Amino acid sequence: MPAIHLLPDLLISQIAAGEVVDRPASALKELLENSLDSGATDVTVQLAEGGIRQIRVADNGAGIGKDDLALALARHATSKIASLEELERVASLGFRGEALASIAAVSHLSLLSRTSDSPHAWRLDASGGALSAAEPAAAVAGTTVEVRDLYFNTPARRKFLRSPATEFAHSEESFWRIALSRPDVRFTLTHNGRAQSHLHPAGSEERIHAVLGEAFREAAIPVQAEAGSFRLRGLVAQPTYSRGARDAQYFFVNGRYVRDKLLAHAVRQAYHDVLHHERHPAYVLFIDLDPALVDANVHPTKIEVRFRDSRGIHQFVFHALEKALAGTRAGNPPAQEVGAAMAFPRAGTSAFRQSGMDLRAAQPAAFYATLFGAGQATLEAPARAPAALPQDAPHPLGFALAQLAGIYILAQNDEGLVVVDMHAAHERIVYEQLKSALDVDRIPTQQLLIPATLTASALEVATVEDHAQTLSRLGFDLAAIAPNAIAVRAVPMTLAQADSAELARDVLREIAQFGGSRVLAERQNEMLSTMACHAAVRANRSLTVAEMNALLRDMEATERSGQCNHGRPTWFQVTIGELDRMFMRGK
């Protein structure tokens, strides 16, 4: 067996480079963080071949003195911490003293810097870790780091790099993350001599809009919350603006971009019942807290963190986002899904008002009694040209005109045509009513005049006997009347007109599979969503104009009613301007 021996310093640095600098984007991230730590307010990035051939970062920061140039390229040398206590409260982006040494070990690197009190700049070159002597040079105050031919001396690692286009995409993403974290700094990016981006100093929201684009801006919901030493701010997108991948998700902890499973889970939970399960939310969020409450020294790349109060952070983020998303009710302009066919610019208004009618939206029981009353409701004649109706409050969804294909409600508002999926909208309304009722401990029940009977398995009968209290909280009164039969004596009041037997069967199946306590804790929303689906108005159900209007009013008053329980949109707006363009009016 070979004897134990010390590794050469160069090999140690090259090994470290594998952790810290796995591709050009990683090197760029480290250089940009150094610029920000130096107090720079103007940073210019030049890339060639995606960063493989060249990465050049120039800033106007504090600069590095001649005597510190060589130290800047030494391993574990830093100006940012000096003790364990400072490490545990580190506020700078860099602190490990590894990045520049790791980059220099696997590239040709030049370091040019000038402090504000120096008569000129100094330049130092490194090739594969070997340093030249510092030489005087001409440059303005600040620092310029140029990295050429990354991994030239480690061909095994270089062959794992992708095409220049792919590497540029990763490098550009690193650039965006840093730019989002510091909107007060000017950033410029060029690639292969062509300008790619120029970001002026701006406020946080303006910078987010500049990076994520106009579609995100139109869908953005502001988030602002504080609890103790925790502070959360930023923008999240409405659920109808969703992505097929997690490519528009940015979380910053004390200004540092992180990928954290705890925070990601809190966001997913907040979007849980407003976002389709195959889609991903978009957001830019900043959480600020005492640096002593978060450990950034978890991984060499500093992209992972560990919170001292992980549960507290999770609940804080979850509740803050849940509250923000609760405002995504119908009537707030829904963002078109990325790539949607109806992604037109907004234009056109009308002075539409509807003559008075009894909407009964203030009397939910009367409305739903009509909606699910005996017999098939008939469709009234479409509303004629309406007279003005004085309204104390605006109605963003307008007023109903008719039904289409027994599925959609067509309504007119000040902007034009509103199309509502009546089943999806009603499902959300019932779901939110059930959640609100259960939040105050118990869902109101409705005794059935004639109990419904269903043939049941032995497991279903046992579930009724073992989980009577859970069923009662959910608004059910079930009784086993035979070894293979169950009587449904009462159901939730909101669901009184649903198929009682099928509704009870689905509830029993859920409780039998997961247990009563888990259904009321971890799976409460799934259970209530299933119940709401039973109650929602079905396709081909003809509604009167009054009933349709009552549904529109309830949508406007219900939290999260812009999406159904599965995250699909419940309504779309088509403006007069869009209709004019479709029919080529004015041309």
Side-chain angles (χ1 to χ4, degrees), residues 375-500:
Q376 189 81 345
T378 58
L379 177 63
E380 293 184 0
R384 292 184 291 276
L389 171 66
Q391 300 287 335
D392 293 333
H395 293 306
L397 294 183
F399 298 91
L401 300 172
Q403 275 180 285
L404 176 64
I407 299 172
Y408 302 105
I409 293 173
L410 305 181
Q412 183 174 348
N413 66 359
D414 285 348
E415 294 194 41
L417 177 68
V418 173
V419 183
V420 175
D421 182 330
M422 65 184 192
H423 173 80
H426 189 212
E427 185 177 24
R428 168 60 72 176
I429 291 167
V430 174
Y431 175 47
E432 292 297 333
Q433 289 175 344
L434 292 172
K435 285 203 298 185
S436 297
L438 193 56
D439 283 345
V440 293
D441 190 49
R442 190 179 297 273
I443 295 175
T445 63
Q446 172 69 56
Q447 295 292 323
L448 300 182
L449 186 62
I450 302 175
T453 303
L454 65 144
T455 302
S457 66
L459 178 59
E460 289 171 330
V461 171
T463 302
V464 168
E465 295 172 342
D466 294 342
H467 297 282
Q469 185 175 359
T470 297
L471 290 165
S472 177
R473 285 197 63 196
L474 291 171
F476 290 91
D477 180 4
L478 307 182
I481 57 176
N484 63 344
I486 293 172
V488 185
R489 297 170 177 168
V491 296
M493 185 178 294
T494 308
L495 315 184
Q497 298 301 324
D499 185 324
S500 302

Side-chain angles (χ1 to χ4, degrees), residues 52-178:
I52 300 172
R53 185 161 63 86
Q54 180 194 49
I55 304 171
R56 187 176 186 272
V57 177
D59 66 54
N60 66 343
I64 305 171
K66 174 190 175 184
D67 295 337
D68 288 339
L69 280 180
L71 272 177
L73 298 181
R75 295 181 64 245
H76 307 307
T78 181
S79 62
K80 298 164 187 177
I81 61 170
S83 66
L84 178 61
E85 181 180 358
E86 290 182 359
L87 174 62
E88 291 177 345
R89 300 186 59 89
V90 65
S92 59
L93 296 175
F95 55 85
R96 297 173 66 96
E98 289 184 310
L100 280 178
S102 297
I103 297 169
V106 291
S107 70
H108 302 297
L109 182 146
S110 67
L111 178 59
L112 174 68
S113 192
R114 177 182 177 182
T115 59
S116 59
D117 58 354
S118 175
H120 56 76
W122 291 90
R123 177 187 178 107
L124 183 149
D125 293 315
S127 180
L131 305 185
S132 69
E135 297 179 350
V140 297
T143 300
T144 299
V145 180
E146 184 174 359
V147 178
R148 300 178 305 280
D149 298 324
L150 193 63
Y151 296 126
F152 80 96
N153 56 350
T154 52
R157 178 164 292 278
R158 180 157 183 151
K159 73 178 182 181
F160 282 101
L161 296 179
R162 303 301 181 184
S163 68
T166 299
E167 294 302 336
F168 173 70
H170 287 282
S171 295
E172 187 178 40
E173 179 64 20
S174 288
F175 176 84
W176 294 136
R177 292 170 183 171
I178 294 292

Side-chain angles (χ1 to χ4, degrees), residues 504-533:
R505 194 183 300 279
D506 278 353
V507 171
L508 290 174
R509 183 183 301 115
E510 187 86 4
I511 294 174
Q513 181 177 355
F514 297 102
S517 60
R518 188 175 173 192
V519 161
L520 291 178
E522 302 172 27
R523 295 189 57 81
Q524 174 181 311
N525 287 351
E526 288 86 347
M527 180 77 267
L528 298 183
S529 179
T530 297
M531 293 165 62
C533 191

Side-chain angles (χ1 to χ4, degrees), residues 279-331:
R279 307 294 294 178
H280 301 281
Y283 54 84
V284 181
L285 293 168
F286 302 84
I287 188 165
D288 299 305
L289 70 164
D290 186 338
L293 300 179
V294 58
D295 182 5
N297 189 29
V298 176
H299 190 274
T301 63
K302 307 182 296 293
I303 205 168
E304 299 176 15
V305 293
R306 184 179 296 117
F307 297 100
R308 298 192 187 279
D309 182 10
S310 57
R311 178 173 177 80
I313 284 286
H314 182 281
Q315 291 302 99
F316 169 64
V317 173
F318 166 68
H319 288 300
L321 297 188
E322 186 182 44
K323 181 179 179 181
L325 292 170
T328 58
R329 65 189 71 201

